[in-house]
Amino acid sequence: MGEVTIRAMDRPGDLGWVLMAHGERYAAEYGWDVEEVTARIVADHAAARRQGRDAGWIAELDGVRVGSVLYVWQDERTARLRLLLLDPAARGHGVGRRLVACCVDAARAAGHDRLVLWTNEPLAAARHLYLEAGFVLTGEERHTEFGDELHGQSYALDLAALR
């Protein structure tokens, strides 16, 4: 594997790439149609992000985008990890772990008590990263947001316990 860098999501095309990569990757790997939901999340992030409160990171492999994650300030006590994605070329090399750590570090630095996220049961590699970082399952529900019926899962990381 080449050189991996993690940088701020602040360049032209970054948000468009996040939307495109999610649409292509989830359709190819799972047959899911995630673009409408992803477009709303990306648009909300672009319109409402506040310096020091919301952030995003891009992982690059030899200068090519291969991963992303968003950190969203939910309220004074809680932040949300959103849209973690890795291209298969970057998996298994600690890149996902580094992206999750960006969100955990940002939430801790902001003084949040909790970092939460929502995912789907088939995403075993992502779930492994979340569990490894200390997240615990807090809820489950069935939904059809991406077409087929899926098993959604909510996770939380108790940052107050890490202080």
Side-chain angles (χ1 to χ4, degrees):
M1 190 157 122
E3 181 184 354
V4 173
T5 57
I6 307 290
R7 63 167 178 81
M9 188 183 295
D10 60 1
R11 295 183 187 162
D14 283 347
L15 294 175
W17 179 85
V18 169
L19 176 57
M20 180 193 72
H22 274 76
E24 291 176 352
R25 181 64 35 220
Y26 284 107
E29 291 187 26
Y30 299 98
W32 299 348
D33 181 6
V34 303
E35 284 187 90
E36 181 180 339
V37 172
T38 305
R40 270 190 252 116
I41 294 168
V42 169
D44 288 349
H45 175 75
R49 76 175 149 210
R50 296 157 292 177
Q51 190 69 21
R53 288 200 172 192
D54 304 292
W57 293 272
I58 293 287
E60 293 182 333
L61 174 60
D62 294 330
V64 176
R65 294 177 188 104
V66 293
S68 64
V69 70
L70 293 178
Y71 163 79
V72 179
W73 183 289
Q74 188 165 303
D75 60 41
E76 293 297 323
R77 298 189 62 219
T78 306
R80 182 169 294 277
L81 183 155
R82 305 209 76 177
L83 300 181
L84 176 68
L85 183 75
L86 281 177
D87 185 276
R91 294 178 188 163
H93 300 282
V95 181
R97 188 176 299 110
R98 289 172 60 190
L99 288 169
V100 170
C102 287
C103 289
V104 172
D105 292 347
R108 290 178 78 183
H112 290 299
D113 293 329
R114 293 180 348 131
L115 180 60
V116 298
L117 64 90
W118 180 79
T119 190
N120 286 283
E121 189 277 327
L123 304 178
R127 183 174 51 255
H128 173 77
L129 292 172
Y130 303 142
L131 293 171
E132 181 181 77
F135 284 86
V136 295
L137 182 66
T138 59
E140 299 180 279
E141 76 285 333
R142 292 279 186 199
H143 70 90
T144 56
E145 203 165 11
F146 307 139
D148 296 334
E149 184 175 287
L150 294 170
H151 193 95
Q153 298 178 316
S154 297
Y155 286 84
L157 176 62
D158 183 357
L159 297 167
L162 300 177
R163 290 189 187 116

